[in-house]
Amino acid sequence: MTEPLTRTAASDAVADLGWRYLLGTLCTAVPVRSAEQAVHVCAVAVEACDGDADDHLRLDIRAGRVELAVHSAVVAAVLPRDVEIVRRVTAAVATLGLSTAGAVTTGAGRSVQLLELAIDSLEIAAIRPFWKAVLGYVDEPGHSGPEDPLIDPLRQGPAVWFQQMDAPRPQRNRIHFDLAVPHDEAEARIAAALEAGGVLVSDDEARAFWILADVDGNEICICTWQDRDDPSRRLGRLRESG
């Protein structure tokens, strides 16, 4: 099987096409005028995949926007084949007089983004089966170990991953959000959160992630793909597939 692309290579390959790399996935959005037009966009995108739609393309239809996500589901990563699909889908959308303008924040709404839930635990193997059962989730493709992430088999809910704790932390929340945003959207999103009353807990691992919190101390990490391909970096709360 072809080797997955690095985060840097995947991002560079699609950035000029109006797509962004998020958590092992290439994402974009197409602003549309109606649900009928949204369905038409989806049909064109599926046809452009040339038989690869089932294993590579995810679609989210709304009356004002279609979100498209491409990755190789069987390995949960971006392959060169996915970049080829992105190019074909982008060209097909253009034939409708539309564009992938919604990958970043525009007048039509927010940027594309992917949300993960992170659960801190002293014994990941002990709690993972509970979360798998109660959420109705499954193993992420290629990651079925006792401490590996879980995903929604319908790809509707956020992924769940587990962070190893080295000691009990009774005064700190045990669940936090990880929000992956386009690398060129992170600073604006952080600034908006701080202006809204948030607190910057840490930027030690920026640009991979910034830790923010509300006034009660509930945390969220604003994440990008940047600075994650360097093996010399030790990222304390970094999920390897992010």
Side-chain angles (χ1 to χ4, degrees):
M1 180 179 292
T2 305
E3 287 294 317
L5 297 177
T6 65
R7 300 170 182 87
T8 302
S11 178
D12 289 348
V14 301
D16 290 343
L17 300 174
W19 296 65
R20 293 296 183 270
Y21 175 90
L22 304 174
L23 297 176
T25 306
L26 304 177
C27 302
T28 194
V30 181
V32 295
R33 296 182 295 275
S34 65
E36 181 178 7
Q37 188 176 47
V39 171
H40 193 188
V41 168
C42 290
V44 166
V46 169
E47 183 177 3
C49 288
D50 193 25
D52 286 331
D54 290 346
D55 292 332
H56 294 261
L57 178 67
R58 296 205 309 270
L59 307 161
D60 188 309
I61 302 175
R62 298 290 186 270
R65 175 182 176 109
V66 176
E67 292 209 359
L68 306 172
V70 172
H71 80 160
S72 296
V74 295
V75 294
V78 173
L79 302 178
R81 179 67 169 165
D82 296 305
V83 174
E84 295 174 12
I85 290 171
V86 162
R87 289 178 179 142
R88 292 202 304 268
V89 169
T90 302
V93 168
T95 66
L96 302 178
L98 302 173
S99 70
T100 52
V104 296
T105 301
T106 65
R110 62 160 173 78
S111 65
V112 292
Q113 61 186 33
L114 292 178
L115 179 66
E116 290 188 317
L117 303 181
I119 301 176
D120 300 342
S121 177
L122 288 170
E123 297 184 62
I124 295 172
I127 70 167
R128 184 180 184 271
F130 167 80
W131 289 103
K132 185 176 183 179
V134 75
L135 294 173
Y137 273 24
V138 298
D139 298 334
E140 185 178 56
H143 302 276
S144 58
E147 299 184 355
D148 282 340
L150 300 169
I151 63 168
D152 180 353
L154 300 181
R155 305 300 199 274
Q156 292 177 325
V160 175
W161 69 282
F162 303 90
Q163 176 173 273
Q164 182 65 53
M165 296 171 61
D166 53 10
R169 291 180 293 204
Q171 301 304 316
R172 178 180 169 190
N173 59 306
R174 300 283 291 278
I175 296 177
H176 68 268
F177 298 100
D178 283 351
L179 183 63
V181 301
H183 61 279
D184 44 1
E185 290 281 326
E187 290 186 6
R189 188 68 64 91
I190 292 166
L194 297 179
E195 185 176 353
V199 177
L200 177 63
V201 176
S202 174
D203 60 0
D204 290 347
E205 305 290 0
R207 304 169 294 180
F209 60 86
W210 294 254
I211 305 174
L212 307 180
D214 64 18
V215 293
D216 285 335
N218 301 303
E219 294 180 358
I220 183 169
C221 294
I222 301 298
C223 308
T224 79
W225 64 265
Q226 291 181 307
D227 296 336
R228 294 171 181 255
D229 286 328
D230 183 354
S232 67
R233 288 178 58 89
R234 296 188 63 186
L235 305 180
R237 297 175 58 172
L238 173 60
R239 175 183 166 189
E240 284 301 317
S241 63

